[in-house]
Amino acid sequence: MTNHNAGKTWRKKNLFNSPVHICSNVESFSFFANQLLLHIAAVIHLLCSMDIDMMQPVQQVLMPSLNASSSPETLHVLSGSFRSLSLFLLAFSPVKRTLSLVQQVPGFGPHQYVSTNRDMLRTNGKSDGLVVYTTSWAIPPILSSWEITPEWHMNHLNNVPITAVSSYIALPPPYTHLYSMGGPTGESHLLSPGTGSFAEKIQEVLFIPAEKLVDADKSRKALRYGSHAIEFTHIPGTNTRLAFVPVLGTSSIEVYTHNPVTGILTHIYSSPSPRIDVEDGPRHVKIHPNRKMLYCVTEHNNLIDVYSISGDLNATEWSTNPLTHLATRSLLPSQLSYPSASMTTVHQFRGDTLMLGPGVGGQWPTEIWATTRGATEDVRGWVSVFKLDQDGMFTPSISIDDSAGSEDGVERYETLTSGGKAHAIDLYLKSSSHISPSVTSHSTHAGSPVWILLTDDSDYAAGEVRDEYVSQGFPLNSKEIQAIGGVRVLEWDGWSTGGVQEVVGYPPLEIPEGEPRKGDQGGGIGNEHGDVMRGGSHAVWLTID
């Protein structure tokens, strides 16, 4: 144990487009036969050039494929739920703008976090072999792995026991080990090369002294103040690989070296909050693809910090902080941010998740997205998108002292509900054919247009609307009510294009006029197993772009 605190679907072309006549003599028959052979040769050449399996032409035409084209007709989604034990495989149609159930998967939930091996498949140039990894709030704590077949069916692979409930799973290069973090502990497991499932556990990381582990809270409650995530980087021009774990309770980002061969993490530094004597509660981190910038969302004071990764990167012993704080932005509008608003107002929200936008045409991200959720059901959350320059810095550049409340280089969307315990996001780059015509007619729009997955665990999304909120007129109108679901698809077409817009939610809410939905009245769409989605926890795009 390591303890750092101790001491293309395709369409056949009709090449036979000339009229065929019945032959009345040998000469005409010979001409016909020669033409037929030419047509057959053309068909064979076409099929070979398309690299299609000649033994399975029907499957290629009829079955959905994990190999997404530049404009896939369907984008698949997997979501967990804090209030349902199952996982939910969904299909989103960008053209029809619908979100529908494909498979309800009896699980080991509630499943709080969903991860995949998509990055590994992209890197290896593969379109099949998609595997999903999930955490669970169940006791005793476990991690689970699942396969997604080319026919979009989900099968359970295995479970592995862990010491404490986890909140995050990562599969970094070279894609040989899986890492999970949550509460007082974290783990590293070998990746099974055959199935992609969890294999042998090789390390346990502690965030409390070893002697206190026996009596420590290992349930989901420990996620409120323990470790919460892990992300990795390989410093350019060096052999140094680092891992970063945000820990809410200590307001620190714990830094480790990462041995890609053994999978072992070695603690080297505790990087404190840049705000002295403030309980920031760092929750999630992301690393820019330039591998030199780190972003962190703080839960307690609703900020997003950006750091450079620096120091003596070839050192064997670390005596200086590898993270240098560069800038801060607020996750809240200026009127709700400190010092324009009191810290009491700021504390009505919970900083939540962040996600770098997808780059267009292989370019680096030009945005970073972040969310908050309301601390109570009557406080709505926010989705914010921040503009980044080519180096990954916020733009425009603002001094650290003035940056927290600035609204330059940011667009915000007030969500329909508090989000409950959720408001996690995932992003998928929009095809140009799915961008609004009013936007595409203007060539000056900037940014990376995206489909946004947003999960919602509020009482509205879970089908447990309370009378007092209805009497207060919350939500504001029937259109908004119909949009609410445990998983929602939103869209953003770039800067100054009208902002974030709601598209569709699942499950659809059917609320009788004048009657709030409570408990089992509505509450989602049932299935043969009787389980329903009552709010969402974390959802991810499965389609490989």
Side-chain angles (χ1 to χ4, degrees):
M1 294 191 295
T2 299
N3 178 12
H4 66 77
N5 283 328
K8 171 176 341 84
T9 57
W10 59 280
R11 188 182 311 152
K12 298 179 190 175
K13 293 184 179 180
N14 181 13
L15 299 179
F16 303 96
N17 52 10
S18 26
V20 178
H21 302 283
I22 298 177
C23 302
S24 58
N25 54 55
V26 173
E27 182 178 352
S28 60
F29 176 81
S30 177
F31 174 81
F32 169 78
N34 287 336
Q35 291 299 307
L36 180 61
L37 289 173
L38 287 174
H39 284 311
I40 293 172
V43 171
I44 294 173
H45 176 75
L46 175 64
L47 292 175
C48 292
S49 66
M50 296 176 70
D51 193 26
I52 291 174
D53 187 348
M54 302 277 291
M55 298 302 294
Q56 297 180 346
V58 176
Q59 179 175 329
Q60 293 286 346
V61 175
L62 300 179
M63 294 296 184
S65 173
L66 293 181
N67 184 13
S69 68
S70 58
S71 180
E73 295 182 0
T74 302
L75 302 178
H76 285 83
V77 175
L78 185 68
S79 179
S81 171
F82 288 119
R83 313 192 197 200
S84 305
L85 302 183
S86 299
L87 291 162
F88 300 85
L89 180 60
L90 310 173
F92 170 63
S93 169
V95 175
K96 297 179 181 179
R97 300 170 79 84
T98 57
L99 186 62
S100 55
L101 181 68
V102 174
Q103 182 187 4
Q104 173 266 328
V105 185
F108 309 92
H111 293 286
Q112 180 234 9
Y113 187 81
V114 180
S115 184
T116 75
N117 66 343
R118 283 195 307 168
D119 287 346
M120 183 184 76
L121 297 180
R122 289 192 192 102
T123 300
N124 296 336
K126 294 184 177 181
S127 60
D128 56 2
L130 183 61
V131 178
V132 169
Y133 310 100
T134 60
T135 65
S136 173
W137 279 4
I139 296 295
I142 60 169
L143 303 173
S144 303
S145 64
W146 317 72
E147 69 166 348
I148 307 290
T149 72
E151 297 78 25
W152 293 104
H153 187 84
M154 190 166 170
N155 299 314
H156 178 240
L157 292 175
N158 74 334
N159 295 337
V160 292
I162 54 177
T163 301
V165 170
S166 176
S167 63
Y168 208 86
I169 300 172
L171 175 59
Y175 311 114
T176 56
H177 295 79
L178 287 149
Y179 299 83
S180 64
M181 295 288 155
T185 66
E187 292 83 18
S188 172
H189 288 82
L190 282 170
L191 180 76
S192 171
T195 63
S197 60
F198 290 97
E200 178 189 356
K201 178 175 176 177
I202 65 164
Q203 183 184 18
E204 182 167 84
V205 179
L206 300 183
F207 298 93
I208 59 173
E211 62 272 17
K212 295 185 178 182
L213 183 60
V214 173
D215 297 323
D217 188 347
K218 303 176 186 66
S219 72
R220 62 183 179 88
K221 294 180 180 179
L223 302 178
R224 301 172 186 171
Y225 49 83
S227 64
H228 214 84
I230 185 168
E231 289 290 339
F232 295 79
T233 190
H234 181 185
I235 309 300
T238 76
N239 293 322
T240 302
R241 296 174 184 257
L242 299 178
F244 303 88
V245 179
V247 182
L248 282 85
T250 57
S251 286
S252 65
I253 298 175
E254 302 302 328
V255 188
Y256 300 80
T257 56
H258 168 220
N259 187 316
V261 177
T262 66
I264 295 296
L265 302 178
T266 303
H267 186 260
I268 58 171
Y269 207 90
S270 293
S271 180
S273 165
R275 288 158 290 275
I276 300 174
D277 297 327
V278 174
E279 294 183 358
D280 283 341
R283 176 183 174 90
H284 280 164
V285 295
K286 290 293 179 183
I287 296 173
H288 193 277
N290 65 18
R291 299 179 288 173
K292 298 185 291 186
M293 307 286 275
L294 179 143
Y295 310 86
C296 179
V297 158
T298 65
E299 179 169 331
H300 300 158
N301 53 10
N302 295 277
L303 299 175
I304 178 172
D305 293 313
V306 58
Y307 301 82
S308 65
I309 304 171
S310 57
D312 186 357
L313 301 176
N314 289 304
T316 55
E317 294 184 4
W318 295 67
S319 59
T320 59
N321 192 344
L323 295 178
T324 301
H325 181 241
L326 301 177
T328 298
R329 293 291 188 273
S330 176
L331 303 182
L332 302 170
S334 57
Q335 71 272 17
L336 297 175
S337 301
Y338 182 83
S340 297
S342 67
M343 288 307 295
T344 299
T345 297
V346 172
H347 289 158
Q348 292 178 357
F349 303 88
R350 300 284 186 267
D352 208 347
T353 63
L354 77 167
M355 179 73 63
L356 282 155
V360 176
Q363 300 298 310
W364 282 347
T366 53
E367 296 87 28
I368 188 165
W369 295 75
T371 65
T372 68
R373 61 193 192 277
T376 57
E377 284 285 332
D378 56 337
V379 177
R380 299 187 184 201
W382 291 87
V383 176
S384 300
V385 53
F386 301 89
K387 190 177 294 186
L388 300 178
D389 65 17
Q390 60 183 2
D391 297 319
M393 272 294 294
F394 296 126
T395 183
S397 179
I398 303 171
S399 69
I400 292 178
D401 292 340
D402 298 332
S403 64
S406 172
E407 292 300 283
D408 291 333
V410 59
E411 288 187 357
R412 303 191 192 273
Y413 171 69
E414 186 176 21
T415 60
L416 302 181
T417 73
S418 68
K421 296 181 287 295
H423 267 185
I425 58 171
D426 196 19
L427 307 173
Y428 191 94
L429 185 66
K430 293 184 72 172
S431 163
S432 58
S433 62
H434 298 148
I435 299 174
S436 170
S438 63
V439 174
T440 54
S441 63
H442 296 81
S443 59
T444 57
H445 93 279
S448 300
V450 289
W451 298 112
I452 307 163
L453 286 178
L454 180 70
T455 54
D456 195 333
D457 174 60
S458 68
D459 286 350
Y460 276 95
E464 299 174 6
V465 179
R466 298 176 182 175
D467 289 334
E468 60 266 32
Y469 299 147
V470 174
S471 66
Q472 293 171 7
F474 183 86
L476 296 179
N477 56 62
S478 60
K479 180 180 179 181
E480 289 184 331
I481 291 176
Q482 292 305 315
I484 296 174
V487 182
R488 302 208 299 281
V489 176
L490 291 69
E491 63 181 335
W492 185 75
D493 285 340
W495 297 99
S496 303
T497 60
V500 172
Q501 303 290 331
E502 297 276 346
V503 178
V504 65
Y506 178 87
L509 304 188
E510 298 179 359
I511 305 175
E513 185 176 354
E515 181 181 341
R517 189 183 56 152
K518 293 183 178 180
D520 292 331
Q521 299 175 8
I525 293 179
N527 48 70
E528 66 271 23
H529 299 284
D531 199 8
V532 297
M533 173 178 275
R534 304 186 191 280
S537 56
H538 182 223
V540 296
W541 296 106
L542 296 178
T543 304
I544 299 175
D545 46 9

